Amino acid sequence: MSTVAQIAPPRTSLSTLPIDQRRGVYAMWSVIATEAMLFICMFGAYYYLGNNKDRWAQESPPQLRFPLILLAILLSSSFVLHWGERQLQGPVESQRFGLARIALWITVLLGMGFLALQGFEYYYHWSELAPYSDAYGSIFYTITSLHAAHVIVGLMMMAYIGVHPRYGTTIRTPHKPYSTIALYWHFVDVVWVFIVIFLYVIPNFQRMHHVH
Amino acid sequence: MTTISAAERLTSLWETPKTTRGWFATVDHKELGIRYLVTAVAFLVIGGLEAILMRIQLSRSDLAVLSPESYNQIFTMHGVTMIFWYASPILSGFAVYLVPLMIGARDMAFPRLNAFTYWTYLFSGLLLYLAPFIGQSPHAGWFAYVPYTLTRYSPGLGMDIYALSLIFLTISTTGGAINFIVTILRLRAPGMAISRMPLFLYSTLTTSFVILFGLPALTAACIFLELDRRWGTHFFHIAEGGSTLLWQQLFWFFGHPWVYVIFLPATGMLSLIIPAFSRRPIVGYPFVAIATVLTGVVGFGVWLHHMFTIGMSDIAMSLFSAGSMMISVFTTIQVFAWLATIWKGHPVATASMYFAVGSVMMLVIGGLSGVFTGIIPVDWQAHSTYYVVAHIHYVLIGSNVFPVFAGFYYWLPKMTGRLLDERLGKWSFWVMFVGFNIGFFPMHILGLLGMPRRIYSYRPGLGFDSWNMVVTIGAFALGIGILISIINLLVSLRSGVLAGRNPWNSDGLEWSSESPPAPYGSVHIPLVASRNPLWDDFDEEDDPDNDRVLDWGRLTPVTTALDANPIGLATIPGDSLLPLIMSIALFAFFATMVFQMVFTALTMLLITFAIGCVWMWPRDVKEVM
């Protein structure tokens, strides 16, 4: 049937094209999309449960000092990891693999510090608020520990990448594990930013609004 | 370099050895697609038998074939099986098999992930069907409203198995969606710009995005339910500040987009089958494509129409009522495009076309009853009656089962290499079509007469008896119709007429390879010049310099997302047992979580991670020269 409209296809030679290494990053973006949606559902549940309940008139909102220190830790870890990523740019010969690996392990240490401090925060507040105290406690601990689970997964993946052999011409992987994992880690950090805003900062503002 | 030796080299690269290890380790999308289809049909048969049991119980008043509790368990298992383990995976099966062939790629973007999602799909189904064997099936309907599903009213393991097997399944479904997104956006043949994609790819792509953004709500809801049931939290306990409606909000925020997950790919199949048998390109291709995408988008804004009876503000009800009716506009665009294609074309009456046209008819009936239930006063009357049961079955059977059968009669010759018997196929269609309408149309009347859904029996003298008997007869006829098609398939596997490359003279790239296709697809990566590659004058596989054979490794071209200009070569990993082993470890995790064996479960999770580490370890490149 020659009535079908035709447009000449591209005539690029296929056999000389470079090896593609981007699919892993696209998959990670998809993972981030769906994980972000999971956290959006969690925040939605947080506000839905808080709907029509003036909690911060009676209760004191969560203290700001812990989450802000935690935020500083995570943000600095993201900068370190991004610096590490930049060491792996350009042609293979000019990449500084050792520096990138050091940056990775510094990030892992910072992440472990984050987990330790968050554990201390849980311990510190446990007598006032626990997951089984009320619905607010349930959603508060569910959101923050779900984030902690993402931190743990990120740390495990970074430790795994941290012992990867250097790959180049004879050993290779179809993906870019370093930048893929870094993308995930940046996402985990951004989620913490939103947790600080929704679960910590805004309740303090609401409290001020009640007290003044 | 001659073509024959290139084909041999490609075969040695892509073929899975026919050994026991090869059977478990294969990552070939054709093999996995067929497994998806077989498994999903097995779940269809199981769910169908459950439906038959319910219909026997309801055929007359005051029967006691099933006890009330076992009736509850059976209707729940029926709904869960059909909606989660049949309706979506069967479409994934078609997509896994067809998408790489339709886009001229050698395999999916992540073949081992593809194997992993198949095995996790199978094992999550096995986890669900553990429930009847320990005598504690879920019993709260497929949407499992709290507070009935909390431990106080539902003790035992049934609802835990429901929640955990669904979370397990979301891993499989999300992995599959990611695979489709990257495959469709990156691996299309050079020249297959986004404006020239087969419409099935539009619906699969839209569906995959809907899965990415919709499924997390189900995961969150199931996590909350499991925490409330087993770990002492208070998401759904009103006395402690929780909300029972939270479950409904989250569930339907997932649940309504899910309707389009099991509906859109089926319309995508109709958008290929109807033009192929009307002997002309589809009318209004861009409108159908845009309507498909918009259905997916607007599908996120209608979920409250499942909850019109909970008591909410007029403005919320008006908005969601309007949204619900707006979405029928997009479906109508598709329906009119199909009708115009038949009208302007030269239709051929094959069994596949029978199923396609029948499906359009029932889709219209189901869509119209949906518009009625979108109107709030009608919804208040019809809510939780058989009217809603009739609506959901018209939409789901009309726009999932019938298109799937149309797809079977259309694509099975490609998969098996043998044609199905047309006469038996048309018999199957008429028995199914008549049986379905006898079985489900009276449910509208029963609903308007006031028969509530989910009752295990009813008193005589309410006027329900005769209609219920008619419904039961129809359900049996529908089952017999499906059986005829299964027999037809088994007969054709032994003695069907050989199909050849393109038995229907269709337009898609999947018809350019032999039937069944070689493990590598086509020898030369095709170039695409139009929307209907096999109907135009351009020779897709014309490749005098053997530039597009790529026979020195497991390679397939990567192209840009919009224009499909080639930019690289993707290395495709080979067969591996790791996906199966990792699925088994995950199964062990979820199964031990059901029994709250926390330390075993955590160990299993660590083992899963360790398997993933082996999976992703960089390897020496094996290249065949």
Side-chain angles (χ1 to χ4, degrees):
Chain A
M1 273 182 226
S2 53
T3 50
V4 174
Q6 283 173 223
I7 300 163
R11 286 289 184 182
T12 322
S13 167
L14 290 190
S15 50
T16 53
L17 288 172
I19 292 295
D20 164 75
Q21 289 192 309
R22 297 286 296 167
R23 277 173 300 151
V25 176
Y26 290 114
M28 186 51 83
W29 274 114
S30 308
V31 171
I32 287 173
T34 187
E35 293 288 299
M37 203 61 209
L38 181 60
F39 278 102
I40 289 171
C41 292
M42 293 277 165
F43 290 134
Y46 172 80
Y47 279 106
Y48 194 78
L49 290 172
N51 188 23
N52 293 330
K53 289 175 201 136
D54 203 353
R55 180 181 186 89
W56 310 122
Q58 282 89 37
E59 311 271 334
S60 57
Q63 292 181 4
L64 275 174
R65 50 182 173 175
F66 287 119
L68 289 181
I69 299 170
L70 292 170
L71 183 65
I73 294 176
L74 274 194
L75 287 185
S76 55
S77 79
S78 252
F79 278 109
V80 173
L81 194 60
H82 182 67
W83 179 80
E85 270 181 276
R86 293 187 50 175
Q87 306 308 310
L88 287 182
Q89 280 170 359
V92 180
E93 308 79 53
S94 65
Q95 290 177 5
R96 281 167 291 189
F97 192 79
L99 286 177
R101 184 173 272 176
I102 290 169
L104 195 66
W105 282 106
I106 294 175
T107 313
V108 172
L109 286 178
L110 286 168
M112 287 163 73
F114 174 90
L115 284 178
L117 188 58
Q118 198 185 20
F120 181 71
E121 190 211 2
Y122 279 4
Y123 170 77
Y124 192 80
H125 290 296
W126 197 265
S127 55
E128 307 152 32
L129 186 74
Y132 43 80
S133 314
D134 60 1
Y136 171 75
S138 303
I139 189 70
F140 177 86
Y141 281 98
T142 303
I143 291 178
T144 48
S145 56
L146 184 70
H147 177 263
H150 281 75
V151 171
I152 293 171
V153 171
L155 291 183
M156 286 165 73
M157 293 200 294
M158 283 193 291
Y160 169 65
I161 302 296
V163 295
H164 254 189
R166 177 168 191 173
Y167 39 84
T169 45
T170 56
I171 299 179
R172 79 177 172 219
T173 144
H175 314 298
K176 289 182 169 171
Y178 197 101
S179 42
T180 311
I181 301 304
L183 194 60
Y184 176 83
W185 187 253
H186 297 321
F187 161 71
V188 172
D189 290 2
V190 170
V191 171
W192 186 254
V193 173
F194 283 102
I195 290 178
V196 170
I197 294 172
F198 293 141
L199 268 59
Y200 292 92
V201 174
I202 290 180
N204 277 287
F205 274 113
Q206 284 172 311
R207 173 69 165 185
M208 279 159 59
H209 175 74
H210 287 299
V211 172
H212 61 93
Chain B
M1 215 190 274
T2 62
T3 315
I4 294 160
S5 74
E8 279 170 357
R9 258 200 302 270
L10 284 170
T11 306
S12 74
L13 275 169
W14 291 89
E15 197 174 40
T16 303
K18 290 198 171 24
T19 57
T20 316
R21 186 192 176 279
W23 197 85
F24 285 109
T26 184
V27 296
D28 183 356
H29 72 96
K30 295 179 279 296
E31 181 63 33
L32 292 168
I34 289 172
R35 283 183 203 176
Y36 257 110
L37 293 176
V38 171
T39 314
V41 168
F43 279 116
L44 174 72
V45 171
I46 294 170
L49 291 177
E50 288 159 352
I52 292 287
L53 275 178
M54 291 191 295
R55 285 318 314 173
I56 293 173
Q57 162 69 18
L58 288 177
S59 58
R60 276 184 291 139
S61 52
D62 280 342
L63 281 185
V65 182
L66 301 170
S67 70
E69 175 61 20
S70 48
Y71 184 85
N72 286 354
Q73 297 188 356
I74 283 174
F75 81 66
T76 304
M77 291 300 274
H78 167 73
V80 173
T81 307
M82 290 302 202
I83 286 180
F84 294 107
W85 275 273
Y86 157 73
S88 163
I90 192 118
L91 301 171
S92 303
F94 277 108
V96 165
Y97 192 97
L98 291 172
V99 163
L101 294 173
M102 283 179 176
I103 63 177
R106 298 247 195 257
D107 207 320
M108 300 276 283
F110 306 106
R112 291 179 297 181
L113 176 65
N114 200 12
F116 175 72
T117 55
Y118 169 71
W119 291 115
T120 44
Y121 156 58
L122 176 67
F123 287 137
S124 64
L126 292 182
L127 181 63
L128 178 75
Y129 271 89
L130 199 66
F133 288 102
I134 59 172
Q136 301 182 33
S137 299
H139 65 167
W142 73 277
F143 42 76
Y145 276 3
V146 294
Y148 182 56
T149 45
L150 299 175
T151 28
R152 186 167 166 198
Y153 308 104
S154 299
L157 299 173
M159 294 318 300
D160 301 302
I161 291 179
Y162 168 89
L164 288 165
S165 60
L166 274 184
I167 296 176
F168 194 12
L169 182 68
T170 60
I171 296 175
S172 161
T173 313
T174 307
I178 292 172
N179 213 342
F180 287 132
I181 288 174
V182 180
T183 305
I184 293 174
L185 288 182
R186 307 304 295 182
L187 298 191
R188 294 199 309 276
M192 189 183 273
I194 202 139
S195 55
R196 281 174 238 163
M197 288 199 316
L199 286 165
F200 180 66
L201 298 186
Y202 267 99
S203 52
T204 301
L205 191 60
T206 308
T207 296
S208 301
F209 277 107
V210 170
I211 286 172
L212 277 197
F213 293 113
L215 266 190
L218 177 70
T219 312
C222 286
I223 289 174
F224 293 162
L225 179 65
E226 193 57 18
L227 287 173
D228 261 21
R229 283 180 60 82
R230 291 301 191 78
W231 305 91
T233 56
H234 300 295
F235 291 101
F236 305 123
H237 295 106
I238 292 177
E240 282 83 8
S243 167
T244 50
L245 291 180
L246 175 64
W247 170 271
Q248 296 191 22
Q249 297 279 3
L250 284 173
F251 191 89
W252 290 119
F253 182 77
F254 141 81
H256 203 83
W258 187 255
V259 171
Y260 299 109
V261 168
I262 56 194
F263 162 69
L264 282 178
T267 65
M269 282 159 50
L270 293 182
S271 296
L272 297 191
I273 292 168
I274 289 177
F277 290 122
S278 300
R279 299 271 170 265
R280 60 155 289 136
I282 192 163
V283 173
Y285 172 98
F287 299 101
V288 177
I290 292 168
T292 305
V293 176
L294 282 179
T295 308
V297 174
V298 180
F300 279 99
V302 300
W303 82 93
L304 275 186
H305 71 210
H306 295 267
M307 305 161 58
F308 278 149
T309 53
I310 65 166
M312 62 179 98
S313 66
D314 286 348
I315 185 76
M317 285 198 292
S318 311
L319 279 173
F320 279 86
S321 177
S324 311
M325 283 187 253
M326 184 168 84
I327 210 156
S328 61
V329 173
F330 306 132
T331 309
T332 311
I333 291 173
Q334 300 200 47
V335 168
F336 277 104
W338 299 327
L339 293 183
T341 308
I342 299 172
W343 186 265
K344 300 270 285 178
H346 304 91
V348 189
T350 59
S352 178
M353 189 67 164
Y354 273 47
F355 276 102
V357 174
S359 132
V360 175
M361 287 170 66
M362 285 176 309
L363 174 62
V364 170
I365 298 176
L368 284 176
S369 65
V371 173
F372 282 119
T373 42
I375 298 166
I376 291 156
V378 180
D379 183 85
W380 285 351
Q381 293 302 316
H383 193 83
S384 271
T385 67
Y386 263 82
Y387 190 87
V388 176
V389 180
H391 166 66
I392 190 178
H393 284 93
Y394 261 92
V395 185
L396 291 187
I397 297 184
S399 68
N400 184 294
V401 177
F402 274 77
V404 160
F405 274 76
F408 276 142
Y409 279 91
Y410 185 61
W411 278 300
L412 273 182
K414 173 58 56 183
M415 301 177 188
T416 64
R418 288 174 184 277
L419 290 171
L420 294 148
D421 185 68
E422 282 290 309
R423 250 181 69 172
L424 264 184
K426 287 173 185 171
W427 268 102
S428 168
F429 167 75
W430 283 116
V431 176
M432 276 173 76
F433 185 77
V434 172
F436 171 79
N437 281 292
I438 291 178
F440 288 91
F441 198 81
M443 284 189 182
H444 292 106
I445 302 164
L446 277 171
L448 295 177
L449 286 176
M451 180 168 166
R453 65 195 293 197
R454 300 186 172 172
I455 47 161
Y456 85 103
S457 191
Y458 48 91
R459 310 290 299 167
L462 293 169
F464 298 163
D465 294 67
S466 47
W467 285 123
N468 268 305
M469 184 50 102
V470 172
V471 169
T472 302
I473 292 168
F476 272 97
L478 178 62
I480 290 168
I482 292 175
L483 200 64
I484 295 174
S485 273
I486 293 176
I487 291 169
N488 193 356
L489 168 64
L490 296 179
V491 171
S492 91
L493 284 179
R494 294 178 65 88
S495 57
V497 182
L498 289 179
R501 278 170 187 262
N502 191 355
W504 315 117
N505 193 14
S506 309
D507 59 333
L509 277 183
E510 76 269 27
W511 299 103
S512 65
S513 54
E514 57 265 44
S515 308
Y520 47 82
S522 51
V523 175
H524 304 273
I525 299 287
L527 288 183
V528 177
S530 76
R531 279 177 195 156
N532 313 86
L534 298 197
W535 285 351
D536 62 18
D537 303 329
F538 183 79
D539 184 4
E540 283 71 34
E541 300 200 32
D542 173 39
D543 184 21
D545 314 327
N546 284 323
D547 174 55
R548 290 183 274 116
V549 177
L550 309 179
D551 58 352
W552 66 92
R554 289 172 65 96
L555 297 167
T556 197
V558 176
T559 53
T560 52
L562 293 180
D563 296 333
N565 285 321
I567 48 170
L569 293 176
T571 51
I572 301 292
D575 295 344
S576 164
L577 282 172
L578 290 169
L580 173 62
I581 299 171
M582 192 162 167
S583 316
I584 292 173
L586 257 190
F587 174 79
F589 166 72
F590 282 103
T592 46
M593 278 304 278
V594 168
F595 298 99
Q596 260 190 318
M597 298 148 71
V598 179
F599 286 102
T600 326
L602 282 180
T603 316
M604 289 304 158
L605 212 52
L606 285 177
I607 291 174
T608 309
F609 182 79
I611 297 165
C613 290
V614 180
W615 178 331
M616 298 304 288
W617 195 258
R619 283 174 186 77
D620 295 328
V621 185
K622 264 185 271 167
E623 289 179 352
V624 181
M625 285 305 285

